[in-house]
């Protein structure tokens, strides 16, 4: 007995097509693309794949891949540019509408103090001048036993809590007339004003806005072996900033023999600006964390602070 047929699935009878035989010697149909027949309910529909269609598909595919690759490159470039992340060139003068991009000052790390203590140990007894007053630097004065250590501080509260530890250590209170918000304006002034040149006369008589002219007399008279700049404050727009301290340290160093000028908090914009401008990239000998050590040769015949002509801040 034959199997029963479901009423929902009618029996499909396979169809067989016979093509007429090609006449002998005929080449017309031999080069014709193959025709694939697909059966559907209404009959048979031919589908022809031509070279033109294949070329169009390839062109669109390659174009899409190229566009995606360009988009990927542009996104990566905008977020991973080391220059943009590390240093904002051509930045306008900071204002209240554009806050000063500065981080809070941090105390010396163990590795930074180790670099400083090694430097003092190699030169001790020596003349050590420090802008700023922090407890770790008092420890440096112990390492500089037999030498002269001078601290310059503008905060009277620190002077009350931190005391000198030897007769060769002196702490002076100083006043700063600059403000961090004016850093860019002061930099432009120094470039244009001959009074701010490398050998423009006595610091005490200078007309340069960056020159500290009211420091204790011994600061101007003594030849310093090491100058450390870790003060005054520079973490807000209204803080004095370290523009004048770095400029004055650079002039003092060039009036000596061979002076190491060490700048702390170089992760901040102002410290980098003025260190590059007046202490110079070619004089950088050591760096550790946020500490840069510049070795300045005194009595140079150079007429400019830096030998390199590259302008890092415009």
């Amino acid at each position: 007995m034959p199997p029963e047929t479901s009423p929902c699935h009618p029996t499909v009878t396979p169809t067989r097509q016979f093509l007429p035989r090609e006449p002998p010697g005929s080449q017309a149909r031999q080069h014709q693309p193959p025709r694939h027949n697909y059966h559907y309910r209404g009959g048979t529909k031919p589908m022809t794949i031509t070279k033109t269609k294949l070329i169009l598909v390839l062109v669109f595919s390659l174009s899409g891949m190229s566009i995606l690759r360009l988009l990927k490159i542009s996104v990566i470039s905008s977020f991973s540019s080391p220059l943009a992340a590390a240093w904002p060139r051509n930045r306008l003068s900071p204002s209240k509408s554009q806050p000063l991009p500065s981080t809070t000052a941090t105390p010396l790390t163990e590795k930074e103090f180790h670099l400083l203590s090694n430097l003092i140990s190699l030169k001790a007894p020596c003349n050590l001048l420090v802008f700023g007053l922090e407890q770790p630097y008092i420890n440096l004065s112990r390492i500089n036993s037999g030498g002269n250590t001078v601290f310059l501080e503008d905060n009277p509260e620190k002077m009350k809590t931190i005391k000198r530890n030897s007769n060769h250590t002196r702490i002076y209170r100083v006043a700063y007339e600059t403000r961090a918000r004016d850093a860019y304006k002061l930099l432009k002034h120094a470039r244009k004003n001959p009074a701010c040149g490398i050998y423009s006369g006595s610091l005490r008589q200078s007309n340069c806005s960056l020159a500290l002219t009211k420091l204790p007399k011994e600061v101007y008279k003594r030849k310093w072996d090491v100058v450390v700049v870790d003060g005054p404050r520079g973490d807000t727009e209204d803080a004095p900033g370290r523009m004048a301290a770095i400029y004055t340290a650079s002039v003092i160093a060039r009036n000596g023999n061979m002076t190491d000028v060490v700048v702390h908090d170089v992760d901040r914009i102002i410290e980098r600006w003025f260190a590059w401008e007046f202490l110079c990239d070619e004089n950088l000998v050591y760096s550790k964390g946020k500490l840069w050590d510049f070795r300045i040769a005194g009595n140079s015949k150079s007429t400019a602070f830096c030998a390199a002509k590259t302008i890092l801040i415009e």
Side-chain angles (χ1 to χ4, degrees), residues 128-260:
L128 170 62
L129 176 64
V130 182
F131 289 85
L133 182 60
E134 302 293 342
Q135 187 60 51
Y137 295 122
I138 296 295
N139 296 329
L140 290 179
S141 68
R142 294 191 181 95
I143 297 174
N144 190 30
S145 177
N148 293 288
T149 304
V150 171
F151 294 94
L152 304 176
E153 177 57 49
D154 65 324
N155 187 346
E157 296 301 321
K158 286 186 179 181
M159 298 178 68
K160 292 178 182 178
T161 56
I162 300 178
K163 303 296 183 181
R164 64 182 186 176
N165 60 353
S166 74
N167 293 332
H168 295 284
T169 300
R170 291 168 293 284
I171 302 174
Y172 297 104
R173 184 180 177 184
V174 297
Y176 296 93
E177 298 178 357
T178 57
R179 290 293 175 265
R181 72 167 75 91
D182 299 322
Y184 185 69
K185 186 190 301 182
L186 289 167
L187 184 61
K188 287 174 36 176
H189 159 80
R191 285 178 173 174
K192 296 177 180 178
N193 192 344
C196 299
I198 187 169
Y199 295 118
S200 55
S202 171
L203 263 175
R204 297 186 69 185
Q205 306 297 326
S206 176
N207 292 322
C208 179
S209 297
L210 286 171
L212 295 175
T213 60
K214 298 178 181 180
L215 299 178
K217 291 182 180 180
E218 96 170 275
V219 174
Y220 303 110
K221 292 181 177 181
R222 200 177 296 278
K223 293 185 182 296
W224 299 97
D225 300 296
V226 180
V227 180
V228 178
V229 180
D230 198 9
R233 288 179 57 243
D235 54 339
T236 66
E237 291 182 353
D238 294 326
R242 298 177 185 172
M243 303 81 67
I246 293 174
Y247 170 82
T248 300
S250 71
V251 176
I252 289 174
R254 286 171 171 85
N255 289 331
N257 297 319
M258 181 68 74
T259 306
D260 282 77

